[in-house]
């Protein structure tokens, strides 16, 4: 009998702080033990699904009740929910295009660091022998990063879902993940524009004509961001329409790339990101490599007691995250 078939599963595995069920299963049953076997490529959780012959996707996916045939298999259900929600967040992910780094913490209090170099700090001047070497000051932020809990509540009975196929239920869970991802994107955009509570709002540039955006305005945004690189532009729907109507943005190469892949590129070399998380009248230009830090308190949390013992009823799925500015000047706001 293989190791993964001997593991005793119980809900207490979810109580270990900072570790998911998959992490714990990997410690008990490392994937490295299966290199060169037919189970290579499966993680520890997927091997447990195989152990209980639970198919969560495909035309022949099992009904929800398959998880609850034994006490051990029921303990896998909250992790299945978390993974499906996480997949939805990843598929709707835009945050990775605007954050420089992600920091995971185990508490609720986090104070980030920042640096606001002046023009002299941004240029590495020649230093004579024995002379004083210029300094770049890195300091701790005065205020803590504001963390927001985002989530949804599943309200259903086991009887209502027991015969539903898991691939259909996965679609519903993935949509919850997409809701969370969009809410977190809105939080990130608000921090970029208004700052993170440490007196660091986004620098503002006005367009040459109110209500319109020209190519010269975008070049001005590019120039004002220097010496940082304008590699990402975040815009709401009405701004996207204005930008894509600019003749320089209609360059044949840009149109061909958009028609072939759906990617929207700009003649400035920046990635163009559309979001409904912004109010009209604003475009944000950022240097993705150094503008924003994402702080996450743990991973996706599911109410495992209710999912296992009460078989759904009301169970919460949530994720706690916040955002902090690293280099305040690495983002600029263009208003029109």
């Amino acid at each position: 009998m293989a190791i993964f078939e001997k593991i005793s599963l119980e809900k207490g595995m979810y109580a270990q702080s900072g570790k998911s069920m998959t992490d714990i299963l990997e410690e008990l049953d490392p994937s490295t033990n299966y290199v060169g076997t037919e189970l290579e490529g499966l993680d520890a959780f997927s091997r447990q699904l195989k152990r209980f012959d639970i198919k969560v996707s495909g035309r022949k996916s099992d009904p929800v009740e398959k998880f609850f045939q034994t006490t051990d298999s029921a303990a896998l259900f909250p992790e299945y929910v978390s993974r499906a929600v996480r997949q939805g967040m990843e598929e709707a992910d835009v945050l990775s295009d605007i954050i420089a780094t992600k920091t995971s913490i185990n508490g609720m209090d986090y104070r980030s660091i920042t640096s606001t170099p002046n023009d002299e700090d941004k240029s590495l001047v020649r230093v004579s022998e024995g002379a004083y070497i210029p300094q770049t000051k890195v300091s701790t932020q005065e205020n803590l990063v504001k963390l927001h809990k985002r989530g949804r509540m599943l309200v259903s009975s086991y009887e209502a879902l027991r015969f539903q196929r898991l691939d259909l239920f996965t679609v519903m869970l993935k949509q919850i993940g997409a809701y969370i991802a969009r809410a977190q994107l809105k939080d990130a955009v608000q921090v970029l524009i208004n700052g993170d509570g440490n007196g660091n709002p986004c620098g503002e540039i006005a367009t040459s004509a109110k209500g319109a955006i020209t190519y010269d305005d975008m070049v001005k945004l590019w120039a004002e961001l220097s010496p940082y690189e304008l590699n990402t532009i975040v815009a709401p729907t009405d701004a996207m329409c204005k930008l894509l109507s600019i003749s320089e943005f209609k360059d044949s190469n840009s149109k061909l790339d958009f028609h072939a892949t759906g990617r929207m590129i700009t003649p400035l070399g920046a990635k163009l990101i559309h979001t409904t998380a912004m109010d009209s009248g604003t475009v944000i230009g950022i240097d993705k490599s150094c503008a924003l830090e994402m702080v996450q308190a743990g991973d996706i949390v599911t109410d495992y007691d209710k999912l296992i013992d009460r078989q759904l009823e009301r169970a919460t799925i949530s994720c706690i995250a916040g955002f902090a500015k690293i280099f305040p000047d690495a983002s600029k706001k263009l208003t029109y």
Side-chain angles (χ1 to χ4, degrees):
M1 183 179 291
I3 295 175
F4 71 90
E5 296 177 331
K6 302 177 184 177
I7 297 175
S8 177
L9 304 174
E10 46 94 18
K11 67 180 183 180
M13 290 177 166
Y14 291 96
Q16 295 192 33
S17 178
K19 291 184 180 180
S20 67
M21 171 66 98
T22 299
D23 294 333
I24 295 168
L25 290 173
E26 281 290 345
E27 292 177 359
L28 298 172
D29 178 36
S31 294
T32 52
N33 293 341
Y34 297 89
V35 175
T37 72
E38 63 178 6
L39 297 178
E40 183 178 5
L42 298 180
D43 62 13
F45 179 76
S46 299
R47 287 191 292 275
Q48 289 299 316
L49 293 179
K50 186 174 181 65
R51 169 188 176 185
F52 295 102
D53 193 30
I54 300 174
K55 301 179 183 67
V56 298
S57 61
R59 187 171 57 89
K60 295 183 179 180
S61 66
D62 289 309
V64 173
E65 69 173 353
K66 189 69 175 286
F67 271 104
F68 297 96
Q69 288 186 339
T70 69
T71 303
D72 282 295
S73 61
L76 296 172
F77 190 63
E79 181 67 2
Y80 151 74
V81 171
S82 295
R83 287 164 71 107
V85 172
R86 189 180 302 111
Q87 185 179 353
M89 291 180 67
E90 290 171 353
E91 291 178 358
D93 178 44
V94 177
L95 280 174
S96 59
D97 291 322
I98 66 174
I99 61 172
T101 183
K102 181 185 291 187
T103 302
S104 296
I105 60 175
N106 291 324
M108 293 296 291
D109 294 335
Y110 178 79
R111 201 181 303 272
S112 186
I113 59 173
T114 188
S115 179
T116 310
N118 55 35
D119 292 338
E120 183 179 344
D121 295 331
K122 295 175 184 176
S123 60
L124 297 181
V125 297
R126 181 180 298 175
V127 179
S128 302
E129 184 177 351
Y132 174 77
I133 299 178
Q135 299 176 345
T136 295
K137 184 179 179 182
V138 177
S139 58
T140 303
Q141 294 278 32
E142 181 179 352
N143 296 317
L144 298 172
V145 174
K146 293 187 175 87
L147 300 178
H148 302 282
K149 185 174 183 178
R150 302 291 189 186
R152 306 287 290 186
M153 179 174 288
L154 280 175
V155 182
S156 181
S157 65
Y158 171 62
E159 287 71 20
L161 289 175
R162 60 179 296 189
F163 297 120
Q164 295 300 322
R165 296 289 176 180
L166 284 166
D167 56 350
L168 174 60
F169 192 45
T170 298
V171 171
M172 299 176 64
L173 294 173
K174 286 165 63 176
Q175 194 59 37
I176 291 176
Y179 294 152
I180 296 174
R182 286 193 284 268
Q184 289 182 341
L185 175 62
K186 186 172 184 178
D187 291 339
V189 168
Q190 292 304 310
V191 168
L192 281 172
I193 295 175
N194 302 317
D196 56 17
N198 289 284
N200 50 8
C202 196
E204 187 171 339
I205 305 165
T207 57
S208 53
K210 187 172 179 59
I213 305 175
T214 66
Y215 183 66
D216 288 342
D217 294 325
M218 299 307 296
V219 172
K220 184 179 179 182
L221 176 63
W222 168 81
E224 288 288 333
L225 202 61
S226 179
Y228 298 104
E229 178 187 1
L230 177 61
N231 49 37
T232 305
I233 297 173
V234 186
T237 303
D238 69 317
M240 288 290 292
C241 294
K242 294 178 186 295
L243 289 172
L244 295 176
S245 298
I246 298 174
S247 59
E248 288 82 357
F249 281 63
K250 296 180 181 179
D251 175 80
S252 59
N253 290 330
S254 299
K255 290 175 68 176
L256 286 173
D257 192 74
F258 177 65
H259 291 161
T261 66
R263 292 193 305 266
M264 290 171 282
I265 63 174
T266 72
L268 301 172
K271 185 171 184 178
L272 193 55
I273 296 176
H274 169 235
T275 177
T276 57
M278 292 173 58
D279 295 330
S280 61
T282 301
V283 172
I284 305 175
I286 66 173
D287 186 339
K288 171 192 178 298
S289 66
C290 57
L292 197 65
E293 175 190 16
M294 180 178 182
V295 181
Q296 188 166 310
D299 202 349
I300 296 169
V301 177
T302 57
D303 199 339
Y304 56 86
D305 280 322
K306 291 182 179 179
L307 284 177
I308 296 173
D309 297 340
R310 303 181 190 178
Q311 298 178 343
L312 290 183
E313 285 192 4
R314 289 176 176 265
T316 58
I317 302 167
S318 61
C319 187
I320 300 175
F323 299 89
K325 282 193 168 183
I326 305 173
F327 289 88
D329 293 337
S331 60
K332 297 289 182 181
K333 178 175 66 173
L334 181 71
T335 57
Y336 59 91

